[in-house]
Amino acid sequence: MALLVFLINGIMFQKGCDAMEDYLIKAIGEEEQFRVYACVTTNVVEEARRRHNTWPIATSALGRTMTAALLMGANLKGDDLLTIRVLGNGPLGAIVVTADAHGSVRGYVQNPQVHLPSKDGKLSVGAAVGRGTLSVSKDLGLKEPFTGTVELVSGEIGEDLAAYLLKSEQTPSAVSLGVLVETDNSVKAAGGLILQLMPGAREDILEKLEQGLASMPPVSSLVNQGAKPEDMVKLLTEDLPVKILDKMPVSFSCSCSRERLEQVLISMGKDELADLIEEQGEAELQCHFCAQKYHFNKQELQKILEEAEN
Ligand SMILES: [Zn+2]
């Protein structure tokens, strides 16, 4: 296959025949005046689409939220977890996504098969999300997770997260998220970036970054043309000096397991469990986050009932 070469704002991208791996980079500007996190998430979003059988609008809404959670989760430490909940009144219903500090993300959308007419050639994500709230919870291993909530601005996710970061975390931020869906519904390209200004950022740097943002093509088309996270950072920051602090792979991964779902069955209580065995004789549980199904036959359920009785 021929190598395709793209030139955008003086930066050259090469698109080869190999699928690019998904990863995230953290970069910081000179004198720590700003930071930029960027990632490519094409495989992550495709995996979510495949697992939940999402149609394009849901793929895009869930993919943007998952990409944002990875970018924000990159600021966590150790076993901390970050959850984004988008609760709109549109046909998609709730979107719930969890990410950790190590590049793992999982998530679901309540109604994965929604179709609305496109607007100006774009998927109507905002209309499908509707009005409502966006919450971010950070479970930092303390008694209560830290949670901040904002009203949705447009339901397009990126703007809504920027509003959250400004209002709840007092950090002026620009959030750019994109998912490009193929005609066969598979994910062609996905990625995102978050730019955050640190307290005391100089006016001239601010102007430069604003220019960089304004002249940047949408992230999804950049990724589609083979741009890597480093290229996105370069396009945004232009000639401002930046240092890349970290690079890590990102992937769709879920922490559910058969043992965890056994605990769910045990927590139903002895009587409920006995009824279930009597009436159904088996059980099938499905993880919301990754759509994995777990089947328990009568014998297995009886063993779980014995455990519940002890
Ligand atoms: Zn799962």
Side-chain angles (χ1 to χ4, degrees), residues 26-92:
K26 302 186 200 180
I28 194 147
E30 202 179 28
E31 296 163 28
E32 303 194 4
Q33 302 212 30
F34 63 91
R35 63 177 174 217
V36 190
Y37 290 4
C39 64
V40 168
T41 53
T42 310
N43 301 304
V44 168
V45 181
E46 170 62 10
E47 177 76 17
R49 180 201 69 85
R50 206 183 49 75
R51 283 177 176 271
H52 296 295
N53 192 20
T54 51
W55 290 1
I57 291 179
T59 306
S60 187
L62 178 60
R64 289 181 198 179
T65 313
M66 289 174 74
T67 302
L70 282 169
L71 291 165
M72 289 173 66
N75 255 343
L76 300 173
K77 292 183 179 69
D79 297 331
D80 297 352
L81 285 176
L82 178 135
T83 301
I84 301 179
R85 287 183 183 83
V86 181
L87 304 175
N89 64 359
L92 285 176

Side-chain angles (χ1 to χ4, degrees), residues 89-244:
N89 64 359
L92 285 176
I95 302 168
V96 183
V97 168
T98 301
D100 68 10
H102 314 290
S104 288
V105 67
R106 58 180 191 163
Y108 66 90
V109 48
Q110 204 175 355
N111 302 311
Q113 282 130 25
V114 164
H115 178 73
L116 292 179
S118 294
K119 222 178 149 191
D120 307 323
K122 286 181 180 162
L123 292 169
S124 308
V125 174
V129 168
R131 290 169 195 272
T133 57
L134 177 146
S135 304
V136 177
S137 295
K138 290 180 187 173
D139 187 346
L140 310 174
L142 305 169
K143 225 176 187 179
E144 291 283 321
F146 162 86
T147 304
T149 302
V150 292
E151 294 282 320
L152 291 169
V153 178
S154 64
E156 297 282 336
I157 313 296
E159 274 180 280
D160 307 305
L161 263 159
Y164 164 81
L165 289 164
L166 183 64
K167 283 185 194 153
S168 239
E169 301 192 5
Q170 286 79 46
T171 313
S173 312
V175 183
S176 181
L177 307 165
V179 175
L180 194 66
V181 181
E182 270 283 20
T183 44
D184 69 357
N185 283 2
S186 68
V187 177
K188 203 173 183 190
L193 69 83
I194 290 185
L195 162 69
Q196 297 198 299
L197 294 177
M198 297 300 150
R202 282 204 323 266
E203 199 60 33
D204 59 316
I205 290 190
L206 196 68
E207 271 173 32
K208 261 261 155 79
L209 290 170
E210 276 173 354
Q211 275 171 23
L213 260 181
S215 64
M216 247 178 104
V219 169
S220 55
S221 51
L222 283 174
V223 175
N224 188 41
Q225 287 166 343
K228 296 183 172 64
E230 289 87 347
D231 301 319
M232 295 185 222
V233 171
K234 186 81 201 128
L235 272 171
L236 173 68
T237 58
E238 296 179 344
D239 53 358
L240 290 171
V242 288
K243 196 163 95 187
I244 292 173

Side-chain angles (χ1 to χ4, degrees), residues 254 256 287 290:
C254 189
C256 69
C287 173
C290 69

